[in-house]
Amino acid sequence: MDRHIPFDGLHNFRDLGGYSTPDGHRIRPGRLYRADSLGKLRQGTEDWSHFLALGIRTVIDLRHPWEADARGRVPAAPSFTYHNLSIEHRAYDQAVQAPGLDPGPYLAERYMEVAEDGVKEIRRALELVAEAAESAEPLVFHCASGKDRTGQLAALILTLLGIPETTIIEDYSLTELATPGILASWKSRNDGREPTWPGFGRAPQTVMRTFLAAMKARYGSIEDYVARELSLDAEALATTLRTALLEPRPTTWPPLTLRKATPPDAPTLVRLRDTAALWQQAQGIDQWKPGEKDESHFRTRMEQGEVWLAHAGPHLAGAWELWWDDPAAWGPRPADAGYIHRLMTTPHTAPPGTGRRMLAEAESRIAATGRPYARLDCLASNPRLRTYYESAGYTVVGEQRVKDGGLGSPYAVTLLEKRLH
């Protein structure tokens, strides 16, 4: 499942559904959305029809009134109510910040200003979220890019729902997938100029991580902030949100369907890998980085080997690559193995066991060629992944200390092998 819902004119419209609590509940899909400016919607367009089809009954616009006046607000419609709650009182312009400014501490300081200044508006926003939740009516909240003010409110809501901090940080960073569109929109409004601050439109995880740490240091916890600064009953609010918006994780899932990827699937594969990379980073796993593999990489792998996609019902659940040689990691070898790469699943929404199911399919593809071994590698600094593959029957057979994966600098990988027949 791609959290970004596609629109022609919106770049960062996302469903918060599917995130899970540690006790096995998940946010109901289709009930809580976050977005960039809905002022870009126009009546009579496909985007407008798509938006109305979501059944949204409440729109919370977190921008300054002057922003809504200058750049437009969501068109009025009888199906929803509109609330302009400017949680930010001290305006700042990211696009004119100094190029060398570290966005992590800078933006976290701005977020703390919002937490201090915007208590009245934040309180009302949380009340509206609770009211919509109790009424089982979908709600969306947005700002300009769907990143800063929207990210702050999302962090409060997700915390009250019991979603882990690592997931909150990951959710914030998913704006990175929308950055090209956000940047293009800014340039179109500014005569094609580039913003002077390279961090414009970016959502590095350090920002949300620093902000959450600062909130804990100043207020003790998000719940304490809600109770003391917003004058809300944090426990009652959390209970309301969890009762209305959380559901048990499914016990049954659609069966996985597998198909070989074709060149038009390349953008989907890039997006899946970048999403998985952001999940890894939020979990503290230092392996993939967003943007490392482009569409040409996946098209090349289709030409020289195989790339496969897995779907659960209509939703993408995962993918993997199958190579027929891998000299960068394994050196010259006879044609006695298939090499499995980029085994990846959709974070939070793939059915349990999707990774193992795809691994088994890859192994069967290798065995069908008469090759006796399945081989793969993982970063030597990623013991969690090594343990996963060992539990699937793979054995560590060596280490390549200077693998050149085409990323500009060699790195060490652990080599694992499984005999198939």
Side-chain angles (χ1 to χ4, degrees):
M1 171 181 160
D2 189 339
R3 295 196 170 277
H4 282 83
I5 297 175
F7 286 86
D8 291 333
L10 303 178
H11 308 295
N12 205 11
F13 196 109
R14 291 189 250 147
D15 190 344
L16 290 174
Y19 287 137
S20 295
T21 63
D23 62 356
H25 291 76
R26 70 170 190 173
I27 301 175
R28 297 178 186 275
R31 293 282 298 278
L32 195 58
Y33 299 97
R34 53 176 294 173
D36 49 334
S37 174
L38 300 184
K40 292 178 281 189
L41 292 172
R42 296 291 181 268
Q43 290 178 322
T45 64
E46 289 188 13
D47 274 2
W48 181 242
S49 297
H50 190 184
F51 174 75
L52 293 178
L54 296 174
I56 289 169
R57 297 293 179 262
T58 303
V59 174
I60 302 175
D61 185 345
L62 302 174
R63 297 175 299 165
H64 294 277
W66 62 262
E67 290 179 273
D69 291 340
R71 297 177 188 164
R73 50 149 285 185
V74 64
S79 60
F80 61 81
T81 58
Y82 170 81
H83 304 266
N84 187 196
L85 300 172
S86 178
I87 66 174
E88 180 184 271
H89 291 205
R90 287 176 259 183
Y92 61 96
D93 188 350
Q94 293 183 39
V96 299
Q97 303 305 317
L101 189 66
D102 185 346
Y106 174 79
L107 287 176
E109 288 176 8
R110 305 290 78 74
Y111 294 3
M112 291 301 292
E113 290 175 355
V114 170
E116 179 182 342
D117 298 342
V119 290
K120 178 181 177 182
E121 294 83 4
I122 295 171
R123 179 173 60 246
R124 182 58 184 145
L126 290 176
E127 289 172 342
L128 288 169
V129 171
E131 291 168 11
E134 285 190 298
S135 301
E137 295 178 346
L139 173 147
V140 62
F141 53 96
H142 76 90
C143 56
S145 298
K147 176 174 76 78
D148 299 310
R149 291 162 286 187
T150 297
Q152 290 171 259
L153 184 57
L156 298 181
I157 296 168
L158 292 174
T159 298
L160 291 168
L161 283 168
I163 302 302
E165 184 172 298
T166 53
T167 303
I168 295 170
I169 293 169
E170 175 195 351
D171 177 71
Y172 173 82
S173 72
L174 286 177
T175 288
E176 292 280 309
L177 303 181
T179 296
I182 293 170
L183 182 58
S185 291
W186 188 91
K187 290 169 65 176
S188 69
R189 296 195 309 268
N190 291 273
D191 301 320
R193 292 186 292 110
E194 295 280 349
T196 59
W197 190 28
F200 180 75
R202 300 291 306 279
Q205 295 185 0
T206 53
V207 178
M208 183 53 63
R209 190 173 282 112
T210 303
F211 168 63
L212 292 175
M215 289 289 284
K216 290 178 183 177
R218 180 176 298 182
Y219 302 110
S221 69
I222 296 295
E223 292 81 1
D224 288 339
Y225 166 76
V226 169
R228 291 206 312 266
E229 303 301 318
L230 304 187
S231 301
L232 290 170
D233 186 330
E235 184 176 350
L237 178 59
T239 298
T240 295
L241 294 177
R242 294 177 188 185
T243 300
L245 290 176
L246 296 182
E247 62 182 3
R249 280 185 61 81
T251 56
T252 60
W253 301 80
L256 283 183
T257 57
L258 308 171
R259 70 170 176 85
K260 190 180 290 188
T262 61
D265 294 312
T268 297
L269 290 159
V270 171
R271 195 170 187 86
L272 174 59
R273 187 192 181 280
D274 287 349
T275 301
L278 292 169
W279 176 87
Q280 288 181 358
Q281 291 181 340
Q283 299 293 321
I285 301 171
D286 183 18
Q287 181 148 340
W288 293 352
K289 306 292 187 299
E292 289 176 330
K293 302 297 181 185
D294 59 13
E295 294 179 23
S296 65
H297 164 84
F298 289 102
R299 286 193 291 267
T300 298
R301 297 323 315 168
M302 293 175 205
E303 294 170 359
Q304 299 180 0
E306 298 179 2
V307 182
W308 285 77
L309 296 170
H311 286 81
H315 298 297
L316 181 66
W320 77 92
E321 299 174 12
L322 185 56
W323 302 9
W324 300 119
D325 64 353
D326 186 6
W330 293 82
R333 296 268 181 155
D336 62 349
Y339 300 83
I340 302 167
H341 284 272
R342 262 162 290 287
L343 185 77
M344 47 191 175
T345 61
T346 52
H348 310 287
T349 57
T354 296
R356 286 291 181 88
R357 174 73 173 82
M358 294 192 302
L359 195 60
E361 178 66 18
E363 292 165 0
S364 71
R365 297 285 301 174
I366 297 167
T369 69
R371 301 175 187 230
Y373 294 103
R375 295 185 179 131
L376 47 82
D377 66 79
C378 65
L379 276 181
S381 58
N382 190 346
R384 291 172 60 179
L385 188 56
R386 168 178 166 170
T387 299
Y388 174 82
Y389 286 127
E390 287 179 322
S391 68
Y394 286 78
T395 302
V396 174
V397 294
E399 184 172 284
Q400 166 60 275
R401 296 183 179 274
V402 288
K403 178 180 176 180
D404 182 0
L407 300 178
S409 59
Y411 50 93
V413 296
T414 301
L415 306 176
L416 298 103
E417 180 179 87
K418 180 178 182 178
R419 186 168 184 88
L420 301 178
H421 53 72

